Every structure is written in structure tokens, then in C-alpha cells.
Amino acid sequence: MMGRAPCSDESGLKKGPWTPEEDNILVDYIQKHGHGSWRALPKLAGLNRCGKSCRLRWTNYLRPDIKRGKFSEEEQQLIINLHAVLGNKWSAIAGHLPGRTDNEIKNFWNTHLKKKLLQMGLDPVTHRPRSDQLNLLSSLQQLLTATNIFTNTLDINALRLQSDATELAKLQLLHNMLQVLVASPASNLDLLNPFGSSLPDEILGLDQSKLQNLYNSSTGFLSQNQSNFFQSFEAPPQQQALPTGYNHMNGGSNRSCMKSEKVDEQLDVPYSFSTALDSLPNLVSATPECSSGKQMENMVNPNEFSDPSSTSTTFEMLGDFMYEEVTDAYWKDLIDQDCNL
DNA sequence: AAATGCTGCAACCGCCGCGAA
DNA sequence: ATTCGCGGCGGTTGCAGCATT
């Protein structure tokens, strides 16, 4: 708003770090009276601070329900997954991590997770492989290292490869989401499900065994697609055309092929993504079997999933969930809902 | 031991949206 | 319909502590 002087312009008000005495005054006052109007609070409490500074100090540090200390692996993974969908909506992300503040999550992202994604060759904004050529080559190198696949005769279309990697990353996110759902007791789904009730009813209505089936299906689905992806390194150019149904897959994701000890060996970071991913099944088949375009087409033909309530299998439901026209709207709704929290 | 560089995080700044007047 | 005040949000800054030279 124009015309309202910022805190910094109000003469005589203290700025900078809070002293323990100030903290005590603020905590005592709020415990006795509640915060009420933040603007009025400093005078009433006897603090030489602006209301905004008091509010920030309380919400980011003094609040009794704040959780301190290192982020757990689960929290880190949840932040990454949520960021892939929500972007820098720190408040919305914090809403899914009880006890964590938006400021803390933002700081953790900027100081740890962003670097981690960059080192993996992923754009921390889009969660996709970085688009410039140098970064693309870096991504390729890491992807190859990650799967112990190496060839001296790389003759590939770089843009198409990047597209494939992106699709794989989307698949991976869906897979991770399902893993969280499967790993949690049904009674805790709401707590652990980062998307609350915005998940499709088809997903929320499943019992644990069906979720497990869905998760298993995604494992095979992802494994097969990763096999296709890595096979493309070795396939002659004329065999690299995308399967018909491939481009219809869309899910939104942040990670492609990260399950590799070697990747983490290259990264000088205080925590390990491979540790977090150790609970995942091996998603890269050493001897891929299902790699033909025809099979892919059969798997993801969206026309087969138009009626998930009838005789569709959980796998068909997955295909439905991944279908571009469904998921684009879904992600948009999801973001809108989170923005409206 | 001192100087310099780096990192992490608390706090600030400016803008935005909402509700009340 | 418009203005105003407030709370909230995301980006950025500044500094303390640690690491390196």
C-alpha cells in the first residue's frame, strides 16, 4: 500500500537481532493476551519494535509449536516433491510440514536442496534437466554414470534426449508420491499426502492393498520407460523414434535417474539422496524386456482409461492419472487449491 | 595468528490480497 | 466503488561463525 511507512522508516524503532530480554517480553505478552493486533502489540507489550518485526519473530522463532533441528529425509523428499508442483510457494509447502516455517523451508531450499538439484544437472526451478547444452551434457554424464551405462559412440539427438529425461522425471515424481501413500497407514494418508484432498478420488478412495498394486504398477511402468530411455543411447538413430503413446505421458516430477551411489560420491553434501531413495525398488532394469514402441503404446493409450470405475485395473488408473489432458488440469487445480489455502 | 572467503540463517523489505469502513 | 489498514508472502540482505589460506 502506498503511503504507509515501512518499519524501517519509523524513527527510533529497534531493528536487527532480537535479544533474549525482548524475546521474553514478547512471549510473556502473547501468552497472557494473545497477539491481537500486531501493529498495536509492541506498544502494549513495551517493545521498541514494529509490529511486523514482532510477528516475524513470533511466527518464525518463538512460537511454541515450532519444530527445530535437521530436516529428516522424509521432510527433504516431501519438500522437493512439493516444490516440483508448487514452485516457490513456501507457505503452501510449509502447510504440509507441521512445525516447520516457510522461512525455514525457504532457507533450507536455497542453501541445500537447490544446490543438490543443480549438481544433479536439474534446474531447481523447473525440476527438469537443465536446458542449455553444457548442462545437458553434464546431465547426460550423470545419467549415464547413475546407471553404469556408458558408450563411446553417443550419437543422439540432444533435444529428444532431454525430452525423454523430462518425461522420466515426471514419472519418477508420481512414483514417489505413490510410495509415500503406500508407506503410510491409511489413517495417516491425509497427513502424509502432500496434496490433501486434491488427489483424485480414484486415488484417495483406494485401500492400502490397491494402493500397493498401483504403486507396483508404477514401478514396472517406470522401469520399462527408463529401460527405453537408456536403450536409446545404444539404438541406431532410426530406432529412436518415440513410441506413439510416449508423448502423452505427463505427471510432473523433479527427478529422473538418481539412484546411484556414484552420483552421491560426486556430491559434497551433508545428506544423501540415494539414502532417501534406498527404499525405492530398483527402477532401472539391467536387462530390459519391454521396450518396443507397440508395447508402450498399449500401456499408455489414454482411450482405454476413460472409465476407471468400471473394469479398469489399477494400472489403467495409473495411465489415466498420467494422461496429459487429465494431469495438466489436475496440476493446475492442485496449485490453485494450494494457493488458496 | 591473522586475513580472507564461504555458508547458513535470522531478519528485513516491498509487494499483494483481503476485509472493513 | 473506493480507500485504507493489516497480515501474509517471497525475495533479499547482513552478519555471525566456520573454513581455508
Side-chain angles (χ1 to χ4, degrees):
Chain A
M1 287 300 129
M2 297 298 289
R4 181 159 56 97
C7 290
S8 55
D9 290 344
E10 297 176 20
S11 60
L13 292 182
K14 188 169 180 239
K15 289 170 58 179
W18 281 63
T19 65
E21 291 75 20
E22 289 176 311
D23 285 346
N24 287 335
I25 292 172
L26 182 58
V27 169
D28 284 347
Y29 181 87
I30 293 178
Q31 283 177 346
K32 287 176 185 166
H33 307 96
H35 63 72
S37 165
W38 285 111
R39 196 169 174 80
L41 184 146
K43 266 187 185 173
L44 294 171
L47 285 164
N48 189 28
R49 296 268 184 175
C50 70
K52 198 173 200 174
S53 179
C54 294
R55 181 175 58 81
L56 282 173
R57 183 63 179 172
W58 175 257
T59 56
N60 287 335
Y61 198 83
L62 298 175
R63 231 175 54 201
D65 57 334
I66 282 185
K67 184 177 170 184
R68 301 234 145 245
K70 270 195 72 174
F71 282 82
S72 69
E73 296 287 349
E74 291 75 18
E75 286 178 312
Q76 293 178 30
Q77 195 58 59
L78 187 54
I79 292 169
I80 291 171
N81 289 346
L82 286 167
H83 188 273
V85 178
L86 299 171
N88 293 358
K89 304 289 184 188
W90 306 117
S91 180
I93 293 172
H96 296 289
L97 286 101
R100 299 294 188 180
T101 69
D102 53 355
N103 205 41
E104 189 179 15
I105 293 169
K106 177 175 58 180
N107 282 334
F108 188 69
W109 175 266
N110 286 328
T111 57
H112 293 92
L113 298 180
K114 195 158 84 174
K115 290 176 190 171
K116 183 77 178 183
L117 291 184
L118 283 170
Q119 286 175 309
M120 289 175 165
L122 296 175
D123 186 327
V125 177
T126 64
H127 292 246
R128 298 181 177 199
R130 293 156 76 181
S131 56
D132 60 274
Q133 289 297 312
L134 284 177
N135 290 334
L136 177 61
L137 289 173
S138 170
S139 300
L140 277 173
Q141 185 178 11
Q142 292 184 15
L143 289 170
L144 289 167
T145 304
T147 54
N148 293 321
I149 292 174
F150 180 77
T151 172
N152 288 322
T153 57
L154 284 179
D155 179 18
I156 56 175
N157 180 317
L159 290 176
R160 215 217 84 226
L161 182 62
Q162 181 189 352
S163 172
D164 290 1
T166 300
E167 298 303 328
L168 269 179
K170 292 173 182 176
L171 283 166
Q172 182 78 55
L173 175 60
L174 176 62
H175 179 82
N176 289 349
M177 289 164 57
L178 286 168
Q179 186 191 26
V180 171
L181 292 172
V182 167
S184 61
S187 58
N188 289 338
L189 278 182
D190 285 346
L191 177 66
L192 291 174
N193 169 15
F195 309 113
S197 59
S198 57
L199 270 178
D201 290 341
E202 292 87 342
I203 300 293
L204 292 174
L206 294 174
D207 61 31
Q208 207 68 14
S209 64
K210 288 180 180 174
L211 272 174
Q212 183 67 55
N213 287 339
L214 186 56
Y215 171 72
N216 291 342
S217 296
S218 78
T219 301
F221 192 65
L222 186 52
S223 173
Q224 287 158 349
N225 280 283
Q226 285 178 324
S227 298
N228 288 342
F229 175 72
F230 288 107
Q231 274 199 339
S232 71
F233 288 107
E234 298 168 347
Q238 65 269 23
Q239 295 178 9
Q240 292 177 7
L242 280 175
T244 307
Y246 199 63
N247 284 333
H248 293 289
M249 292 185 294
N250 202 339
S253 177
N254 52 343
R255 286 184 289 110
S256 51
C257 309
M258 300 178 187
K259 184 172 175 58
S260 165
E261 293 178 4
K262 290 187 177 180
V263 168
D264 277 318
E265 285 171 8
Q266 298 170 345
L267 302 172
D268 181 21
V269 288
Y271 51 85
S272 165
F273 269 87
S274 60
T275 301
L277 292 171
D278 277 344
S279 57
L280 286 172
N282 186 1
L283 298 175
V284 180
S285 169
T287 54
E289 297 171 359
C290 175
S291 60
S292 75
K294 180 63 180 175
Q295 285 168 305
M296 284 296 300
E297 183 177 3
N298 289 340
M299 277 189 285
V300 298
N301 181 359
N303 295 327
E304 296 178 12
F305 309 131
S306 57
D307 184 13
S309 64
S310 59
T311 57
S312 65
T313 65
T314 53
F315 185 81
E316 289 169 334
M317 198 182 304
L318 174 64
D320 199 0
F321 191 55
M322 300 298 292
Y323 182 41
E324 185 173 26
E325 292 182 13
V326 172
T327 54
D328 279 355
Y330 166 67
W331 294 118
K332 184 178 184 304
D333 288 346
L334 191 152
I335 292 167
D336 289 345
Q337 287 179 24
D338 253 293
C339 289
N340 292 331
L341 281 179

